[in-house]
Short mmCIF file of all heavy atoms in Angstrom, two decimals:
data_model
loop_
_atom_site.label_atom_id
_atom_site.label_comp_id
_atom_site.label_asym_id
_atom_site.label_seq_id
_atom_site.Cartn_x
_atom_site.Cartn_y
_atom_site.Cartn_z
N MET R 1076 -40.05 -105.60 27.77
CA MET R 1076 -41.23 -106.42 27.43
C MET R 1076 -41.38 -106.56 25.91
O MET R 1076 -41.10 -105.64 25.16
CB MET R 1076 -42.50 -105.62 27.99
CG MET R 1076 -43.76 -106.40 27.73
SD MET R 1076 -45.22 -105.45 28.19
CE MET R 1076 -44.98 -105.27 29.95
N ASP R 1077 -41.78 -107.73 25.52
CA ASP R 1077 -42.03 -108.02 24.09
C ASP R 1077 -43.41 -107.52 23.64
O ASP R 1077 -44.44 -108.08 24.01
CB ASP R 1077 -41.90 -109.53 23.84
CG ASP R 1077 -42.14 -109.85 22.36
OD1 ASP R 1077 -42.43 -108.95 21.56
OD2 ASP R 1077 -42.05 -111.07 22.02
N MET R 1078 -43.43 -106.38 22.97
CA MET R 1078 -44.69 -105.75 22.58
C MET R 1078 -45.47 -106.58 21.58
O MET R 1078 -46.64 -106.33 21.31
CB MET R 1078 -44.46 -104.38 22.05
CG MET R 1078 -44.07 -103.40 23.16
SD MET R 1078 -45.34 -103.22 24.43
CE MET R 1078 -44.42 -102.32 25.64
N ASP R 1079 -44.80 -107.52 20.92
CA ASP R 1079 -45.50 -108.33 19.89
C ASP R 1079 -46.03 -109.64 20.51
O ASP R 1079 -46.66 -110.44 19.79
CB ASP R 1079 -44.52 -108.70 18.78
CG ASP R 1079 -44.17 -107.48 17.95
OD1 ASP R 1079 -44.97 -106.56 17.85
OD2 ASP R 1079 -43.04 -107.45 17.45
N LYS R 1080 -45.87 -109.87 21.76
CA LYS R 1080 -46.37 -111.05 22.45
C LYS R 1080 -47.87 -110.97 22.61
O LYS R 1080 -48.38 -109.94 23.05
CB LYS R 1080 -45.70 -111.21 23.78
CG LYS R 1080 -46.08 -112.51 24.49
CD LYS R 1080 -45.19 -112.69 25.71
CE LYS R 1080 -45.60 -113.96 26.46
NZ LYS R 1080 -46.79 -113.79 27.32
N ILE R 1081 -48.54 -112.02 22.16
CA ILE R 1081 -50.03 -112.01 22.25
C ILE R 1081 -50.45 -112.26 23.69
O ILE R 1081 -49.97 -113.19 24.36
CB ILE R 1081 -50.58 -113.18 21.40
CG1 ILE R 1081 -50.16 -113.03 19.94
CG2 ILE R 1081 -52.14 -113.26 21.57
CD1 ILE R 1081 -51.15 -112.39 19.01
N VAL R 1082 -51.33 -111.40 24.16
CA VAL R 1082 -51.85 -111.60 25.53
C VAL R 1082 -53.26 -112.15 25.52
O VAL R 1082 -53.68 -112.95 26.30
CB VAL R 1082 -51.79 -110.28 26.36
CG1 VAL R 1082 -52.48 -109.14 25.65
CG2 VAL R 1082 -52.39 -110.47 27.73
N CYS R 1083 -54.06 -111.73 24.49
CA CYS R 1083 -55.37 -112.27 24.35
C CYS R 1083 -55.49 -113.04 23.00
O CYS R 1083 -55.45 -112.43 21.96
CB CYS R 1083 -56.38 -111.14 24.32
SG CYS R 1083 -58.10 -111.68 23.98
N ASN R 1084 -55.52 -114.34 23.11
CA ASN R 1084 -55.55 -115.17 21.89
C ASN R 1084 -56.83 -115.07 21.12
O ASN R 1084 -56.84 -115.12 19.84
CB ASN R 1084 -55.33 -116.65 22.28
CG ASN R 1084 -53.88 -116.94 22.58
OD1 ASN R 1084 -52.99 -116.67 21.81
ND2 ASN R 1084 -53.62 -117.51 23.78
N CYS R 1085 -57.94 -114.88 21.79
CA CYS R 1085 -59.23 -114.72 21.13
C CYS R 1085 -59.23 -113.61 20.08
O CYS R 1085 -59.81 -113.72 19.01
CB CYS R 1085 -60.33 -114.54 22.12
SG CYS R 1085 -60.69 -115.96 23.11
N TYR R 1086 -58.64 -112.50 20.47
CA TYR R 1086 -58.60 -111.29 19.62
C TYR R 1086 -57.22 -111.01 19.02
O TYR R 1086 -57.06 -109.95 18.33
CB TYR R 1086 -59.10 -110.09 20.36
CG TYR R 1086 -60.58 -109.88 20.32
CD1 TYR R 1086 -61.34 -110.10 21.43
CD2 TYR R 1086 -61.23 -109.53 19.14
CE1 TYR R 1086 -62.75 -109.89 21.41
CE2 TYR R 1086 -62.61 -109.34 19.08
CZ TYR R 1086 -63.34 -109.54 20.23
OH TYR R 1086 -64.72 -109.37 20.19
N SER R 1087 -56.25 -111.89 19.32
CA SER R 1087 -54.90 -111.64 18.88
C SER R 1087 -54.43 -110.23 19.28
O SER R 1087 -53.84 -109.49 18.53
CB SER R 1087 -54.72 -111.76 17.35
OG SER R 1087 -55.11 -113.05 16.95
N ILE R 1088 -54.67 -109.90 20.55
CA ILE R 1088 -54.26 -108.61 21.07
C ILE R 1088 -52.87 -108.81 21.75
O ILE R 1088 -52.67 -109.73 22.58
CB ILE R 1088 -55.21 -108.06 22.18
CG1 ILE R 1088 -56.64 -108.08 21.66
CG2 ILE R 1088 -54.76 -106.70 22.63
CD1 ILE R 1088 -57.01 -107.00 20.73
N THR R 1089 -51.93 -107.96 21.35
CA THR R 1089 -50.59 -108.03 21.87
C THR R 1089 -50.39 -107.10 23.09
O THR R 1089 -51.23 -106.28 23.38
CB THR R 1089 -49.55 -107.62 20.81
OG1 THR R 1089 -49.88 -106.25 20.45
CG2 THR R 1089 -49.63 -108.52 19.60
N ASN R 1090 -49.21 -107.26 23.79
CA ASN R 1090 -48.86 -106.40 24.86
C ASN R 1090 -48.93 -104.97 24.34
O ASN R 1090 -49.41 -104.02 24.97
CB ASN R 1090 -47.45 -106.65 25.32
CG ASN R 1090 -47.37 -107.96 26.15
OD1 ASN R 1090 -48.38 -108.48 26.60
ND2 ASN R 1090 -46.15 -108.48 26.29
N GLY R 1091 -48.39 -104.76 23.08
CA GLY R 1091 -48.39 -103.45 22.45
C GLY R 1091 -49.78 -102.93 22.22
O GLY R 1091 -50.03 -101.70 22.32
N GLY R 1092 -50.73 -103.80 21.96
CA GLY R 1092 -52.13 -103.41 21.72
C GLY R 1092 -52.71 -102.85 23.00
O GLY R 1092 -53.54 -101.89 22.98
N ILE R 1093 -52.35 -103.48 24.10
CA ILE R 1093 -52.92 -103.00 25.39
C ILE R 1093 -52.28 -101.64 25.72
O ILE R 1093 -52.93 -100.73 26.16
CB ILE R 1093 -52.53 -104.03 26.53
CG1 ILE R 1093 -53.11 -105.41 26.25
CG2 ILE R 1093 -53.06 -103.49 27.88
CD1 ILE R 1093 -54.62 -105.48 26.14
N LYS R 1094 -50.95 -101.54 25.43
CA LYS R 1094 -50.28 -100.25 25.69
C LYS R 1094 -50.90 -99.11 24.88
O LYS R 1094 -51.07 -98.06 25.32
CB LYS R 1094 -48.78 -100.38 25.39
CG LYS R 1094 -48.03 -99.09 25.69
CD LYS R 1094 -46.55 -99.32 25.63
CE LYS R 1094 -45.76 -98.13 26.23
NZ LYS R 1094 -46.12 -96.84 25.60
N GLU R 1095 -51.21 -99.50 23.65
CA GLU R 1095 -51.76 -98.48 22.74
C GLU R 1095 -53.10 -97.96 23.29
O GLU R 1095 -53.41 -96.78 23.25
CB GLU R 1095 -51.97 -99.12 21.38
CG GLU R 1095 -52.24 -98.12 20.24
CD GLU R 1095 -52.41 -98.82 18.94
OE1 GLU R 1095 -51.51 -99.64 18.53
OE2 GLU R 1095 -53.47 -98.62 18.32
N ALA R 1096 -53.94 -98.88 23.80
CA ALA R 1096 -55.21 -98.51 24.37
C ALA R 1096 -54.99 -97.53 25.58
O ALA R 1096 -55.71 -96.56 25.69
CB ALA R 1096 -55.97 -99.75 24.80
N VAL R 1097 -53.98 -97.87 26.41
CA VAL R 1097 -53.74 -97.01 27.55
C VAL R 1097 -53.19 -95.64 27.02
O VAL R 1097 -53.59 -94.62 27.53
CB VAL R 1097 -52.70 -97.66 28.50
CG1 VAL R 1097 -52.21 -96.69 29.61
CG2 VAL R 1097 -53.37 -98.91 29.16
N ASP R 1098 -52.28 -95.68 26.07
CA ASP R 1098 -51.75 -94.45 25.49
C ASP R 1098 -52.87 -93.57 24.92
O ASP R 1098 -52.80 -92.35 24.88
CB ASP R 1098 -50.74 -94.75 24.41
CG ASP R 1098 -49.40 -95.19 25.06
OD1 ASP R 1098 -49.22 -95.03 26.25
OD2 ASP R 1098 -48.55 -95.74 24.26
N ASN R 1099 -53.88 -94.24 24.45
CA ASN R 1099 -55.03 -93.52 23.82
C ASN R 1099 -56.06 -93.07 24.82
O ASN R 1099 -57.12 -92.62 24.46
CB ASN R 1099 -55.71 -94.39 22.72
CG ASN R 1099 -54.82 -94.49 21.48
OD1 ASN R 1099 -54.00 -93.61 21.21
ND2 ASN R 1099 -54.96 -95.54 20.73
N GLY R 1100 -55.81 -93.33 26.12
CA GLY R 1100 -56.64 -92.72 27.15
C GLY R 1100 -57.36 -93.64 28.05
O GLY R 1100 -57.98 -93.24 29.03
N ALA R 1101 -57.34 -95.01 27.73
CA ALA R 1101 -57.98 -95.95 28.62
C ALA R 1101 -57.18 -96.05 29.93
O ALA R 1101 -55.93 -96.10 29.90
CB ALA R 1101 -58.09 -97.33 28.01
N THR R 1102 -57.85 -96.00 31.06
CA THR R 1102 -57.15 -96.05 32.33
C THR R 1102 -57.48 -97.26 33.20
O THR R 1102 -56.85 -97.48 34.27
CB THR R 1102 -57.37 -94.77 33.14
OG1 THR R 1102 -58.77 -94.65 33.33
CG2 THR R 1102 -56.84 -93.53 32.44
N THR R 1103 -58.56 -97.99 32.85
CA THR R 1103 -58.99 -99.13 33.68
C THR R 1103 -59.06 -100.34 32.81
O THR R 1103 -59.10 -100.32 31.58
CB THR R 1103 -60.37 -98.83 34.26
OG1 THR R 1103 -61.28 -98.72 33.19
CG2 THR R 1103 -60.39 -97.62 35.10
N LEU R 1104 -59.17 -101.52 33.50
CA LEU R 1104 -59.33 -102.80 32.77
C LEU R 1104 -60.60 -102.76 31.93
O LEU R 1104 -60.54 -103.18 30.76
CB LEU R 1104 -59.44 -103.94 33.79
CG LEU R 1104 -59.75 -105.29 33.26
CD1 LEU R 1104 -58.69 -105.82 32.29
CD2 LEU R 1104 -59.98 -106.32 34.35
N ASP R 1105 -61.66 -102.28 32.49
CA ASP R 1105 -62.95 -102.22 31.75
C ASP R 1105 -62.84 -101.40 30.46
O ASP R 1105 -63.35 -101.78 29.40
CB ASP R 1105 -64.06 -101.63 32.58
CG ASP R 1105 -64.58 -102.64 33.60
OD1 ASP R 1105 -64.23 -103.85 33.51
OD2 ASP R 1105 -65.41 -102.28 34.50
N GLU R 1106 -62.16 -100.27 30.56
CA GLU R 1106 -62.03 -99.41 29.35
C GLU R 1106 -61.19 -100.09 28.32
O GLU R 1106 -61.47 -100.01 27.15
CB GLU R 1106 -61.41 -98.05 29.78
CG GLU R 1106 -62.39 -97.14 30.49
CD GLU R 1106 -61.77 -95.87 31.04
OE1 GLU R 1106 -60.55 -95.68 30.85
OE2 GLU R 1106 -62.54 -95.09 31.64
N VAL R 1107 -60.10 -100.71 28.74
CA VAL R 1107 -59.23 -101.41 27.78
C VAL R 1107 -59.94 -102.55 27.18
O VAL R 1107 -59.86 -102.81 25.97
CB VAL R 1107 -57.93 -101.90 28.45
CG1 VAL R 1107 -57.14 -102.79 27.56
CG2 VAL R 1107 -57.06 -100.67 28.91
N MET R 1108 -60.77 -103.27 27.94
CA MET R 1108 -61.57 -104.39 27.35
C MET R 1108 -62.54 -103.88 26.34
O MET R 1108 -62.75 -104.51 25.33
CB MET R 1108 -62.31 -105.09 28.49
CG MET R 1108 -61.40 -106.03 29.34
SD MET R 1108 -62.19 -106.70 30.78
CE MET R 1108 -63.34 -107.86 30.05
N GLU R 1109 -63.15 -102.71 26.68
CA GLU R 1109 -64.12 -102.16 25.75
C GLU R 1109 -63.49 -101.68 24.44
O GLU R 1109 -64.01 -101.95 23.38
CB GLU R 1109 -64.78 -100.93 26.43
CG GLU R 1109 -66.12 -100.56 25.83
CD GLU R 1109 -66.71 -99.39 26.63
OE1 GLU R 1109 -66.80 -99.46 27.87
OE2 GLU R 1109 -67.10 -98.41 25.99
N VAL R 1110 -62.32 -101.05 24.52
CA VAL R 1110 -61.64 -100.50 23.37
C VAL R 1110 -61.08 -101.61 22.49
O VAL R 1110 -61.19 -101.60 21.30
CB VAL R 1110 -60.56 -99.51 23.76
CG1 VAL R 1110 -59.84 -98.99 22.54
CG2 VAL R 1110 -61.17 -98.38 24.56
N THR R 1111 -60.42 -102.62 23.17
CA THR R 1111 -59.64 -103.60 22.40
C THR R 1111 -60.45 -104.90 22.15
O THR R 1111 -60.16 -105.66 21.29
CB THR R 1111 -58.39 -103.98 23.13
OG1 THR R 1111 -58.71 -104.64 24.37
CG2 THR R 1111 -57.52 -102.79 23.38
N GLY R 1112 -61.42 -105.15 23.02
CA GLY R 1112 -62.15 -106.42 22.96
C GLY R 1112 -61.44 -107.50 23.80
O GLY R 1112 -62.00 -108.53 24.00
N ALA R 1113 -60.22 -107.24 24.19
CA ALA R 1113 -59.42 -108.21 24.97
C ALA R 1113 -60.22 -108.66 26.17
O ALA R 1113 -60.72 -107.83 26.88
CB ALA R 1113 -58.08 -107.59 25.34
N GLY R 1114 -60.25 -109.92 26.37
CA GLY R 1114 -60.87 -110.46 27.62
C GLY R 1114 -62.37 -110.60 27.52
O GLY R 1114 -63.00 -111.07 28.50
N THR R 1115 -62.98 -110.28 26.39
CA THR R 1115 -64.43 -110.31 26.33
C THR R 1115 -65.00 -111.55 25.70
O THR R 1115 -66.24 -111.69 25.59
CB THR R 1115 -64.98 -109.06 25.52
OG1 THR R 1115 -64.48 -109.13 24.20
CG2 THR R 1115 -64.58 -107.79 26.23
N ILE R 1116 -64.15 -112.50 25.29
CA ILE R 1116 -64.70 -113.73 24.73
C ILE R 1116 -64.63 -114.89 25.74
O ILE R 1116 -65.61 -115.23 26.37
CB ILE R 1116 -63.98 -114.13 23.42
CG1 ILE R 1116 -64.25 -113.06 22.37
CG2 ILE R 1116 -64.57 -115.49 22.90
CD1 ILE R 1116 -63.71 -113.37 20.98
N CYS R 1117 -63.40 -115.40 25.94
CA CYS R 1117 -63.30 -116.53 26.89
C CYS R 1117 -62.92 -116.11 28.31
O CYS R 1117 -63.18 -116.81 29.26
CB CYS R 1117 -62.29 -117.58 26.39
SG CYS R 1117 -60.60 -117.10 26.62
N GLY R 1118 -62.29 -114.93 28.42
CA GLY R 1118 -61.98 -114.37 29.73
C GLY R 1118 -60.69 -114.91 30.33
O GLY R 1118 -60.25 -114.48 31.38
N ALA R 1119 -60.05 -115.87 29.64
CA ALA R 1119 -58.85 -116.51 30.18
C ALA R 1119 -57.67 -115.49 30.33
O ALA R 1119 -56.82 -115.71 31.20
CB ALA R 1119 -58.41 -117.63 29.28
N CYS R 1120 -57.70 -114.45 29.59
CA CYS R 1120 -56.57 -113.52 29.57
C CYS R 1120 -56.80 -112.35 30.56
O CYS R 1120 -55.89 -111.54 30.69
CB CYS R 1120 -56.39 -113.00 28.19
SG CYS R 1120 -57.79 -112.07 27.58
N VAL R 1121 -57.95 -112.27 31.18
CA VAL R 1121 -58.35 -111.07 31.94
C VAL R 1121 -57.29 -110.73 33.00
O VAL R 1121 -56.91 -109.56 33.12
CB VAL R 1121 -59.76 -111.22 32.56
CG1 VAL R 1121 -59.99 -110.09 33.54
CG2 VAL R 1121 -60.78 -111.16 31.47
N ASP R 1122 -56.78 -111.71 33.73
CA ASP R 1122 -55.79 -111.42 34.77
C ASP R 1122 -54.50 -110.81 34.13
O ASP R 1122 -53.93 -109.89 34.71
CB ASP R 1122 -55.43 -112.69 35.53
CG ASP R 1122 -56.52 -113.07 36.55
OD1 ASP R 1122 -57.42 -112.27 36.73
OD2 ASP R 1122 -56.44 -114.18 37.10
N ASP R 1123 -54.12 -111.36 32.99
CA ASP R 1123 -52.90 -110.86 32.32
C ASP R 1123 -53.16 -109.42 31.81
O ASP R 1123 -52.31 -108.56 31.92
CB ASP R 1123 -52.51 -111.72 31.16
CG ASP R 1123 -51.99 -113.11 31.67
OD1 ASP R 1123 -51.52 -113.17 32.81
OD2 ASP R 1123 -52.02 -114.09 30.86
N VAL R 1124 -54.33 -109.25 31.22
CA VAL R 1124 -54.63 -107.93 30.70
C VAL R 1124 -54.68 -106.89 31.84
O VAL R 1124 -54.15 -105.80 31.69
CB VAL R 1124 -56.03 -107.94 29.95
CG1 VAL R 1124 -56.42 -106.52 29.53
CG2 VAL R 1124 -55.94 -108.86 28.73
N LYS R 1125 -55.24 -107.30 32.94
CA LYS R 1125 -55.36 -106.41 34.09
C LYS R 1125 -53.97 -106.00 34.59
O LYS R 1125 -53.73 -104.82 34.84
CB LYS R 1125 -56.12 -107.15 35.20
CG LYS R 1125 -56.32 -106.31 36.47
CD LYS R 1125 -57.33 -107.00 37.35
CE LYS R 1125 -57.72 -106.19 38.55
NZ LYS R 1125 -56.66 -106.10 39.63
N ARG R 1126 -53.08 -107.00 34.66
CA ARG R 1126 -51.71 -106.70 35.10
C ARG R 1126 -51.04 -105.69 34.16
O ARG R 1126 -50.37 -104.76 34.56
CB ARG R 1126 -50.95 -108.01 35.19
CG ARG R 1126 -49.69 -107.98 35.94
CD ARG R 1126 -49.15 -109.44 36.19
NE ARG R 1126 -49.43 -110.36 35.07
CZ ARG R 1126 -48.73 -110.43 33.94
NH1 ARG R 1126 -47.74 -109.61 33.72
NH2 ARG R 1126 -49.05 -111.29 33.04
N LEU R 1127 -51.22 -105.91 32.84
CA LEU R 1127 -50.61 -105.01 31.84
C LEU R 1127 -51.21 -103.58 31.95
O LEU R 1127 -50.45 -102.62 31.88
CB LEU R 1127 -50.86 -105.59 30.45
CG LEU R 1127 -50.03 -106.80 30.05
CD1 LEU R 1127 -50.57 -107.39 28.76
CD2 LEU R 1127 -48.57 -106.48 29.92
N VAL R 1128 -52.57 -103.51 32.13
CA VAL R 1128 -53.14 -102.19 32.18
C VAL R 1128 -52.61 -101.46 33.40
O VAL R 1128 -52.19 -100.29 33.30
CB VAL R 1128 -54.70 -102.28 32.33
CG1 VAL R 1128 -55.33 -100.96 32.63
CG2 VAL R 1128 -55.31 -102.92 31.06
N GLU R 1129 -52.51 -102.15 34.57
CA GLU R 1129 -52.02 -101.52 35.77
C GLU R 1129 -50.59 -101.03 35.56
O GLU R 1129 -50.19 -99.94 35.94
CB GLU R 1129 -52.08 -102.47 36.93
CG GLU R 1129 -53.51 -102.62 37.44
CD GLU R 1129 -53.69 -103.79 38.39
OE1 GLU R 1129 -52.74 -104.52 38.65
OE2 GLU R 1129 -54.82 -103.91 38.93
N GLN R 1130 -49.77 -101.87 34.89
CA GLN R 1130 -48.36 -101.51 34.64
C GLN R 1130 -48.26 -100.34 33.68
O GLN R 1130 -47.51 -99.36 33.96
CB GLN R 1130 -47.65 -102.74 34.05
CG GLN R 1130 -46.15 -102.43 33.81
CD GLN R 1130 -45.44 -103.68 33.27
OE1 GLN R 1130 -45.86 -104.81 33.50
NE2 GLN R 1130 -44.35 -103.45 32.58
N PHE R 1131 -49.00 -100.31 32.60
CA PHE R 1131 -48.88 -99.25 31.63
C PHE R 1131 -49.44 -97.94 32.17
O PHE R 1131 -48.88 -96.87 31.91
CB PHE R 1131 -49.60 -99.61 30.33
CG PHE R 1131 -48.90 -100.72 29.54
CD1 PHE R 1131 -49.64 -101.77 28.91
CD2 PHE R 1131 -47.53 -100.77 29.41
CE1 PHE R 1131 -49.02 -102.78 28.26
CE2 PHE R 1131 -46.87 -101.77 28.71
CZ PHE R 1131 -47.64 -102.80 28.12
N VAL R 1132 -50.49 -98.04 32.95
CA VAL R 1132 -51.03 -96.85 33.53
C VAL R 1132 -50.05 -96.25 34.53
O VAL R 1132 -49.84 -95.06 34.55
CB VAL R 1132 -52.38 -97.16 34.24
CG1 VAL R 1132 -52.86 -95.96 35.14
CG2 VAL R 1132 -53.48 -97.45 33.17
N ALA R 1133 -49.43 -97.11 35.31
CA ALA R 1133 -48.41 -96.67 36.26
C ALA R 1133 -47.22 -96.00 35.56
O ALA R 1133 -46.66 -94.98 36.03
CB ALA R 1133 -47.96 -97.85 37.13
N GLU R 1134 -46.82 -96.59 34.43
CA GLU R 1134 -45.70 -96.01 33.70
C GLU R 1134 -45.99 -94.65 33.06
O GLU R 1134 -45.10 -93.87 32.77
CB GLU R 1134 -45.27 -97.04 32.58
CG GLU R 1134 -44.49 -98.18 33.10
CD GLU R 1134 -44.27 -99.24 32.01
OE1 GLU R 1134 -44.64 -99.02 30.85
OE2 GLU R 1134 -43.68 -100.27 32.36
N LYS R 1135 -47.25 -94.49 32.77
CA LYS R 1135 -47.71 -93.22 32.13
C LYS R 1135 -47.63 -91.99 33.09
O LYS R 1135 -47.48 -90.90 32.68
CB LYS R 1135 -49.09 -93.38 31.63
CG LYS R 1135 -49.21 -93.26 30.16
CD LYS R 1135 -50.67 -93.29 29.70
CE LYS R 1135 -51.17 -92.06 29.11
NZ LYS R 1135 -52.55 -92.15 28.69
N LYS R 1136 -47.77 -92.31 34.40
CA LYS R 1136 -47.86 -91.22 35.38
C LYS R 1136 -46.54 -90.42 35.46
O LYS R 1136 -45.51 -91.07 35.32
CB LYS R 1136 -48.29 -91.75 36.72
CG LYS R 1136 -49.79 -92.03 36.75
CD LYS R 1136 -50.21 -92.61 38.08
CE LYS R 1136 -51.63 -93.09 38.02
NZ LYS R 1136 -51.88 -94.11 39.04
S1 LIG F 1047 -57.86 -115.06 25.42
FE1 LIG F 1047 -58.68 -113.08 25.69
S2 LIG F 1047 -60.83 -113.38 25.70
FE2 LIG F 1047 -60.04 -115.30 25.26
#
């Protein structure tokens, strides 16, 4: 996965930014949205963010 790829354009949050939030303890979409701001403006990225959160959480186990 390209960690520098932007997933949320509104906040310029990258795949790596989502991973970092999960690494720092966020385990749900809501928590990641709260920590990073991703998905909280236009919402267009929410499905992508959700997919990433689920993937990174699964990888952490
Ligand atoms: S692209 Fe993420 S909130 Fe708009």
Side-chain angles (χ1 to χ4, degrees):
M1076 183 187 296
D1077 180 358
M1078 288 301 171
D1079 292 329
K1080 184 169 178 283
I1081 302 261
V1082 54
C1083 176
N1084 282 309
C1085 291
Y1086 272 110
S1087 300
I1088 309 284
T1089 58
N1090 288 342
I1093 302 296
K1094 181 170 193 304
E1095 196 180 306
V1097 172
D1098 285 347
N1099 287 335
T1102 56
T1103 63
L1104 173 64
D1105 282 351
E1106 284 173 3
V1107 170
M1108 284 172 70
E1109 198 177 310
V1110 178
T1111 65
T1115 61
I1116 297 184
C1117 77
C1120 61
V1121 169
D1122 284 351
D1123 290 338
V1124 174
K1125 181 166 187 287
R1126 197 167 33 79
L1127 287 168
V1128 172
E1129 284 168 356
Q1130 181 178 337
F1131 291 138
V1132 168
E1134 283 173 2
K1135 242 184 115 177
K1136 282 180 189 154

